[in-house]
Structures are given as C-alpha cells and as structure tokens.
C-alpha cells in the first residue's frame, strides 16, 4: 500500500513579476495546494508579500491556499488573510505567548488552522493545541528563504508528531529543502503534505513544473506503508 502524498508548491520560489501566471501554471502542473509564504522582515530576516497579493492571486486558482505566516505579531493580520482568500492560516508557536488564542481566532473565522514549529522548537510546543488544528507544519529549514539545505532532524520530528497525534484527524506538512531526494524519508516517517519551492519552480513553465512535482511524488509512491 503506498501513501498518497500531497504537494504544496511554495510561490516564494516563483517569478514575482508573473505571480498570477505562475499560480495558474503550477495549478495546471498538478499542485495539490498553493503554499503562500508571508514574511515581515521582523519574525524572519526577509520580506515577501501581504494580504493584497493573496487576494490578487485568489481568482487564479481553485486550489487550497495554505498561508504560512512568518510574521510577529500575527493576530492583528489574521482577519485580513482570511478575507483575502486563505483556506488555511498557519501560525508559528514562536511568534508570541498566545498561540492558543491565535488558533482559536482563525477557527472563529471559519478557516482551517495550522500550527508550525521552527527547527529549534521541540514538538511538545504543540501538545496543548491539538484540538484546535487540522495541520502541523514542521519547518525543515530556518524560515525566511527558499533554496536552503534540508535539516535532517525534521524526519524524526515528523515521526514524533505522528505518534503524538495518533488517531486525530491532523495532517503533517513539511516545509523547506524538500526535493525528490529528501522527500522519501519524510513520507516514510509519516508526512502527508510536502511544501516545495525551488524544487518545483525550475524550468519556467507548466511542463517543467509538472515534471518537478511528479519527481517528488514518484519518489514517495514506492514507500511501503
Ligand atoms: C521558508 C518557507 C518555505 C520555503 C520553501 O521560510 O517557509 O516554504 O519557501 O522553499 P524551498 O522548497 O526552496 O526550501
Ligand atoms: Zn513556508
């Protein structure tokens, strides 16, 4: 039995001069979700885009918008991303002392709520919010940039979270340095969704993106369950 893995291309690696076109292309190329990396230059040492860009991209695809907030504080902006068209809003446990309240607020807006932890944060940090989330995002790079090297300790973290959430309807997503090479160990450890930016957005068109997505998916489909 093979585990069908979902692929969520991160548009941080797309051509920012043609983002609408890039979202349509990667949708056509077989992306399951679209991963949108929001960065504020404060929580992470980089600035990407805000709710206006999410809103502008919304009409270009029907695929799930998986919005990863690398911003602090996050609470003042949750409504703006919900209104912009986010389907899931993912917040970092490290953005402040009230992760439980942030996740409650996201759910109150009728959106899926995800929680994410940096490579240096132990999985216990999410133990008390499992009732509020439908997804845990495991960072396998230090957030802020695409194209970084995969941090191998993410594999054990995925396995540990798989045990922690046993039986709950919670997805495990991994983000950073995911390629056809690093993907199989993550799938084996129990990951459900893989975010990939630079490994997908190579080659500049839908055909290339389709090959790149297929390479990651195929690398996982031979994993015995
Ligand atoms: C990093 C972002 C990741 C990143 C993934 O802070 O959260 O989503 O864009 O890019 P790659 O796949 O190139 O590591
Ligand atoms: Zn991300």
């Amino acid at each position: 039995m093979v585990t069908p893995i979902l692929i969520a291309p991160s548009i941080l690696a797309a051509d920012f001069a043609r983002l609408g076109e890039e979202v349509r292309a990667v949708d056509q190329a077989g992306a399951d979700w679209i991963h949108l990396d929001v960065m504020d230059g404060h929580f992470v040492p980089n600035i990407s885009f805000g709710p206006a860009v999410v809103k502008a991209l919304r009409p270009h695809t029907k695929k799930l918008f998986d919005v990863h907030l690398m911003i602090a504080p996050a609470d003042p902006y949750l409504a703006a991303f919900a209104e912009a068209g986010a389907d899931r809003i993912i917040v970092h446990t490290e953005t402040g002392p009230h992760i439980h309240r942030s996740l409650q607020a996201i759910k109150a807006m009728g959106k899926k709520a995800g929680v994410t932890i940096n490579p240096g944060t132990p999985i216990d940090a999410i133990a008390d919010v499992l009732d509020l989330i439908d997804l845990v995002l495991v960072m396998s790079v230090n957030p802020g940039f695409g194209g970084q090297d995969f941090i191998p300790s993410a594999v054990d973290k995925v396995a540990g979270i798989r045990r922690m959430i046993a039986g709950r309807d919670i997805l495990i997503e991994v983000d950073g340095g995911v390629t056809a090479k690093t993907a199989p160990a993550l799938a084996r450890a129990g990951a459900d969704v893989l975010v990939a930016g630079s490994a997908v957005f190579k080659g500049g068109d839908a055909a290339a993106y389709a090959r790149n997505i297929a390479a990651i998916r195929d690398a996982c489909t031979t994993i015995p369950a």
Side-chain angles (χ1 to χ4, degrees), residues 10 35-37 68 70 137 139 175 195:
S10 158
H35 184 79
L36 296 108
D37 284 313
H68 177 190
M70 288 162 275
L137 176 64
M139 291 307 297
D175 186 7
V195 175

Side-chain angles (χ1 to χ4, degrees), residues 11-195:
I11 63 164
L12 189 72
D15 177 351
F16 272 31
R18 304 183 294 119
L19 269 184
E21 215 180 296
E22 291 274 72
V23 164
R24 288 198 305 276
V26 83
D27 176 344
Q28 239 180 1
D32 294 295
W33 301 350
I34 308 292
H35 184 79
L36 296 108
D37 284 313
V38 179
M39 300 179 178
D40 65 356
H42 168 62
F43 179 68
V44 291
N46 195 2
I47 297 176
S48 60
F49 47 80
V53 171
V54 175
K55 186 168 182 209
L57 294 174
R58 185 65 276 181
H60 291 270
T61 178
K62 295 209 176 340
K63 297 278 169 77
L64 184 144
F65 271 9
D66 191 51
V67 177
H68 177 190
L69 296 186
M70 288 162 275
I71 65 175
D75 289 9
Y77 303 96
L78 298 177
F81 284 102
E83 280 144 36
D87 295 292
R88 174 182 300 102
I89 300 176
I90 304 170
V91 287
H92 274 265
T93 59
E94 303 90 354
T95 41
H98 299 298
I99 183 67
H100 191 282
R101 178 185 287 141
S102 302
L103 294 167
Q104 282 180 318
I106 294 167
K107 285 179 70 75
M109 292 172 203
K111 298 298 177 183
K112 294 176 186 300
V115 69
T116 176
I117 49 175
N118 286 330
T121 303
I123 64 173
D124 292 353
I126 64 165
D128 294 331
V129 297
L130 299 181
D131 292 342
L132 292 169
I133 59 172
D134 90 309
L135 176 136
V136 182
L137 176 64
V138 176
M139 291 307 297
S140 39
V141 293
N142 285 299
F145 302 92
Q148 299 181 84
D149 291 342
F150 179 76
I151 298 174
S153 58
V155 177
D156 287 347
K157 263 179 148 171
V158 168
I161 292 170
R162 182 48 73 197
R163 285 192 295 275
M164 179 192 276
I165 63 176
R168 292 171 188 263
D169 199 6
I170 294 176
L171 294 167
I172 302 177
E173 184 176 36
V174 183
D175 186 7
V178 172
T179 65
K181 205 159 148 286
T182 57
L186 293 167
R188 236 190 327 268
D192 302 293
V193 191
L194 301 177
V195 175

